[in-house]
Amino acid sequence: MSKVRSMRDAVADLVHDGDVVAIEGFTHLICFAAGHEIIRQRKRDLTLARLTPDLIYDQMVAAGTARKLVFSWLGNPGVGGLHAIRRRVEDAVPAGEDPAPLELEEYSHFGMVGRYTAGASNLPFFPLRSYFETDLPKANPLIRPIRSPFGDETVYAVPPLKPDVTVVHAQRADAHGNTQMWGLLGCQKEAAFAAKRVIVVVEDLVDEMVIRADPNRTVIPGLIVDAVVVEPFGAHPSYVQGAYDRDNHFYRDWDAIAREAVTTQAWLEEWVYGVSGRAEYVEKLGADRVSSLRPSGEAPSGSVDYGVYR
Amino acid sequence: MSKVRSMRDAVADLVHDGDVVAIEGFTHLICFAAGHEIIRQRKRDLTLARLTPDLIYDQMVAAGTARKLVFSWLGNPGVGGLHAIRRRVEDAVPAGEDPAPLELEEYSHFGMVGRYTAGASNLPFFPLRSYFETDLPKANPLIRPIRSPFGDETVYAVPPLKPDVTVVHAQRADAHGNTQMWGLLGCQKEAAFAAKRVIVVVEDLVDEMVIRADPNRTVIPGLIVDAVVVEPFGAHPSYVQGAYDRDNHFYRDWDAIAREAVTTQAWLEEWVYGVSGRAEYVEKLGADRVSSLRPSGEAPSGSVDYGVYR
Amino acid sequence: MSEPRAVAETGTAAAAGTGPQGPAAAGTGPQGPAAATTFSKSEMMIVAAARELAGQRVCFVGVGLPNIAVNLARRTVAPNLELVYESGVFGAIPARLPLSIGDPTIVTGATAVVSMFELFSFYLQGGLVDVGFLGAAQIDRFGNMNSTVIGDYEHPKTRLPGSGGACEIAINARQVFVIMRQSKRSFVAEIDFRTSPGNLGGAETAARARREQGWLGRGPSVVVTDLAIFHFDETGEMRLDSIHPGATLDQVRETMGWEPKMADRPVTTPTPTPEELRLIREELDPEGAYTK
Amino acid sequence: MSEPRAVAETGTAAAAGTGPQGPAAAGTGPQGPAAATTFSKSEMMIVAAARELAGQRVCFVGVGLPNIAVNLARRTVAPNLELVYESGVFGAIPARLPLSIGDPTIVTGATAVVSMFELFSFYLQGGLVDVGFLGAAQIDRFGNMNSTVIGDYEHPKTRLPGSGGACEIAINARQVFVIMRQSKRSFVAEIDFRTSPGNLGGAETAARARREQGWLGRGPSVVVTDLAIFHFDETGEMRLDSIHPGATLDQVRETMGWEPKMADRPVTTPTPTPEELRLIREELDPEGAYTK
């Protein structure tokens, strides 16, 4: 049975007010298309989880969808801060400009990866060698010491994170949701297995036989996928290995846009509320911008042989 | 600098008497060639770790290389028992026929996987939901309860396993030891990262650019590899996806061979001590046997595009 | 590797055994006498196990009888059943009957091949498996199983294979299906070693342990043997519900180490239908490796 | 993402910062006056950091100055240096200067691309990383660093990016190299929040904590700034060992929140060689994105 849905339907049915939502992807494969649809559908009171909230959550926070962030690094990589989020966090900023203060729950990268891993594995905690002699366990009481039953060593533990919905962007999937990706993998697999519901967004919908030709490349099995959305260029201004480049100009532009609430809202009006979906966004972006982001050539992986065994 | 070595040199330099040795591979990619070389070099007092000791450890135990097994399933899959090992374990068998009793340290599959994972991650323990209400923690006091610091749940923990040497068989590697494999992956990655020294044995030595064309396919980085041994058909009677089939006949034959110490020793004389190495073993096996194990056709993975980004 | 192997190991009649057995006399099933034909005890076990899979979604399988049973179920009562192999394969479409759990034929053309860490962590412990198949050398009335040793652990009379994945399958699969041949040596009053927990000392203890220790599994739900079908009653004990055509109540009782509880009216297991037999004989095991 | 970003965030002069700075007056290095040329403060930082990498094997890198420094080291003092990117890439051979730690150019043609679980578990925590590069908004005399908040945690004056991987890098990398521009705001007597542990309250406390808690890291070994090079003495405190050509001792002291310990005879950092400058300008950062 095909799980292919429109982004509108997938978000409407699978993302609910108050949900814990993870749109994962470490710089690579960040699904802005899903984030924008969540904004358009005016979802509220979401807890947004990501290692690096990135522009996607800065936009979602600015649009008022979120009440809380769970994260490990809050910045615009290589550029600076995430101003919309900072406005709802820093004391110095005059109140009233944006909605209520944003709750923060903060880990390190490995702590977040461990949380998803515990969630995916149905473990009550994940142990790691981090946090020793830092102020992080004081700032976040969910980072707790745990004593090894072998020897008397103590390490730290983080609790499982089980999102209500995880959104994963990928190069390709079949209609059942069997999903393959290459390039940086981040912790999408763990975040997907940890989630109650999974939305996969792909550049290309492929025949099941394409997936079955290379089963070791499958990162997420259809078994855990609730909807497959086909949304080319759906990761822009993030990128898709082999398909398009990171739009570094936009990452820099956002720094200026997000510095003021008014310019931020104007941008949201124009680029999110003002379009019906990703197809219109891409059209608005223009063919030149799109083609300027294409790789300059192909770098084929080559093929390996699994062999026929009859 | 090339790490390519002969099997003889790799085993002589990297495997020492008394070592903890893991020749991993779950039915697939079991490196019999390395096991046989260890036998030929008359290594002694080894602790042999594997989820499924399989024929390889039955042979190594029969040859007197081992004093201890660390394992989770002790059998000849689909056939029956491992008789050489059983002779050194069961009380009923008359003593004296084989060397001293073999020490056993026993887990479940997930317990062994967890042990390697803890070893690879430098964790003092790995937690898992297994062993509840079983006799395994009584049989093995290294399986211990651990209480979660979140809520009052108790799960079980296993200690890290850090082999002195892990041997991994694979389809291909470059001269630096960057190794790619496909098909069943077992827990070779974890066992290799957990080890002090790693020997990679491959069907094909390839140019670095073959590896670099598909970096997501790399399972073991050259960084942790000490020696690369090129040994085609080195996994027989186990198999290599895309290259040759499992020799099920041999797995059945072994059942009869290993039932008596005398036939077992005769087999070792002929097929291990009696040959200089894998090349001679393959020659002795004969071209017909070898070609009968080749896949009946190709099943290409297809190629994906990583893109050129300049 | 999960369980049926353990049985093969002991020399007791094995769920995954390969020894030929004479065909049972044909019973008259729901399809009436016209459909009567001969079938083996193994075929009856496979058919009975397959039928129990109706409505299940994800099954954790080993080779041998469970593998044939799940594939039969996919072609009959459970067309959407998804198979997870312990060796790390999801969505296999084998071109031949796999001879071992790690046969390369289950890899080529599969949907996903994953590491054992991922398989045990995310698929099994993560709660995605609805049914796990187990067998053992010994089982007791509460479905607790032994595949480790006969005799004392330190000085065993028979050293069996051990847990493999059986221990965590028993705890984390939502329910457990058991396939084992019956004998006084395998259906015992007291098992020598508990490798895979079933209903412990009874339903109440088991429910408490599962709740307090956070098990995902609800424990064993059915035992299919060469002679009969048992389910577990409200006290957590095996209850004889159905006797296979050709077998007698006496045979069932004589091959058990305790006096079994019985359903009010044990029924006769409906015989394999011609279509079920055709699928087994022509498609699933044409060489009769597991079913003769 | 590791650290230099944190600095960019605060508005203090940033190790990974992109702001142009005027070229420093050329000093006379070991190569003699004939080789004298102009170079920027950033170039001096990169060169000084690269030289410190002599003899190191595996380096955990972020983008910006550390990325250029390690690539310069590979071409000069440490030809066998292996690079691990926090985003999960090993053995990258980027076709262009990567603009972010997740640039697709570091993936194409790399030796291995792995999940973050694997990167943090096996590479970093597993003990394979010899040198981790960090920077921060604040550092104290013992090399403890803050990249979380300025002010109170609950009501921060400035909300910084937070740890990213910095916390576990500080603990698990065998040693830590720090690259930061000096200022009274960044080199402080007391940091507001400890994100990445350095030598805690001093060498003795730090050694005890590392031993008892099983850290793999020996802590910070060098701090390279736009003005000077510091190492850590036997008490675990930063010691001024070398002043860059063009900088003065007064400048160094005026941009620190404490009176620095000094080597008996602080030397002048040897100026960049023409070859070092050529590599930076022609090969590593031809557009001068990080080095102007």
Side-chain angles (χ1 to χ4, degrees), chain B residues 230-246:
Chain B
V230 185
E231 202 80 287
F233 230 69
H236 177 271
S238 170
Y239 71 102
V240 174
Q241 190 79 37
Y244 44 96
D245 203 348
R246 189 166 185 267

Side-chain angles (χ1 to χ4, degrees), chain A residues 5-23:
Chain A
R5 313 283 303 274
S6 69
M7 181 66 89
R8 186 173 298 167
D9 289 351
V11 167
D13 289 356
L14 298 169
V15 182
H16 312 309
D17 288 355
D19 273 357
V20 177
V21 175
I23 303 178

Side-chain angles (χ1 to χ4, degrees), chain B:
Chain B
M1 207 186 55
S2 171
K3 294 173 184 166
V4 178
R5 312 284 303 276
S6 70
M7 182 66 88
R8 186 174 297 168
D9 288 354
V11 167
D13 289 358
L14 298 170
V15 182
H16 312 310
D17 288 354
D19 274 357
V20 177
V21 175
I23 303 178
E24 264 301 342
F26 194 75
T27 78
H28 183 216
L29 297 171
I30 305 174
C31 193
F32 279 76
H36 289 183
E37 185 58 29
I38 289 170
I39 293 173
R40 269 190 297 276
Q41 295 191 17
R42 297 178 197 274
K43 303 290 181 185
R44 289 294 178 267
D45 294 320
L46 303 178
T47 293
L48 298 177
R50 258 184 73 79
L51 272 65
T52 60
D54 204 272
L55 272 47
I56 179 71
Y57 284 2
D58 211 34
Q59 294 170 359
M60 291 172 76
V61 165
T65 64
R67 67 167 190 81
K68 182 176 177 179
L69 282 186
V70 183
F71 73 100
S72 48
W73 192 82
L74 194 63
N76 180 343
V79 179
L82 294 173
H83 303 293
I85 291 172
R86 283 177 64 174
R87 271 198 296 282
R88 284 182 56 187
V89 172
E90 290 176 10
D91 254 18
V93 173
E97 225 176 85
D98 276 312
L102 191 67
E103 200 181 330
L104 297 187
E105 186 180 317
E106 175 165 16
Y107 298 84
S108 60
H109 278 350
F110 194 28
M112 283 294 286
V113 171
R115 292 202 64 194
Y116 285 130
T117 305
S121 309
N122 186 32
L123 280 175
F125 64 90
F126 192 84
L128 67 170
R129 290 190 188 272
S130 189
Y131 305 124
F132 298 118
E133 306 290 339
T134 71
D135 290 325
L136 283 156
K138 279 173 247 169
N140 181 353
L142 290 174
I143 298 171
R144 297 184 184 167
I146 185 167
R147 198 183 168 93
S148 167
F150 308 99
D152 56 1
E153 245 187 311
T154 294
V155 295
Y156 274 90
V158 291
L161 176 53
K162 300 190 179 189
D164 293 298
V165 192
T166 289
V167 178
V168 167
H169 197 92
Q171 281 95 342
R172 67 190 186 191
D174 66 22
H176 308 293
N178 296 300
T179 305
Q180 298 188 331
M181 57 180 82
W182 50 98
L184 300 180
L185 301 176
C187 52
Q188 281 95 308
K189 178 187 286 183
E190 292 79 3
F193 274 98
K196 295 191 186 72
R197 300 182 291 280
V198 175
I199 299 173
V200 165
V201 184
V202 291
E203 295 291 318
D204 290 307
L205 184 70
V206 295
D207 188 86
E208 187 180 328
M209 295 321 290
V210 173
I211 302 293
R212 289 187 181 278
D214 196 359
N216 283 108
R217 180 98 59 198
T218 304
V219 171
I220 294 169
L223 181 59
I224 61 167
V225 174
D226 297 276
V228 176
V229 177
V230 185
E231 202 80 287
F233 230 69
H236 177 271
S238 170
Y239 71 102
V240 174
Q241 190 79 37
Y244 44 96
D245 203 348
R246 189 166 185 267
D247 192 343
N248 291 307
H249 288 290
F250 184 79
Y251 272 81
R252 279 194 284 263
D253 291 347
W254 182 254
D255 189 67
I257 294 164
R259 272 184 196 274
E260 303 295 334
V262 60
T263 48
T264 309
Q265 295 305 323
W267 187 89
L268 290 173
E269 281 304 330
E270 181 178 355
W271 289 91
V272 182
Y273 298 112
V275 299
S276 59
R278 181 71 12 171
E280 202 177 320
Y281 170 102
V282 175
E283 199 181 334
K284 191 170 157 62
L285 212 53
D288 287 355
R289 182 78 166 270
V290 169
S291 76
S292 76
L293 293 168
R294 297 295 182 195
S296 59
E298 290 193 5
S301 69
S303 181
V304 303
D305 180 20
Y306 283 84
V308 174
Y309 293 88
R310 286 188 211 281

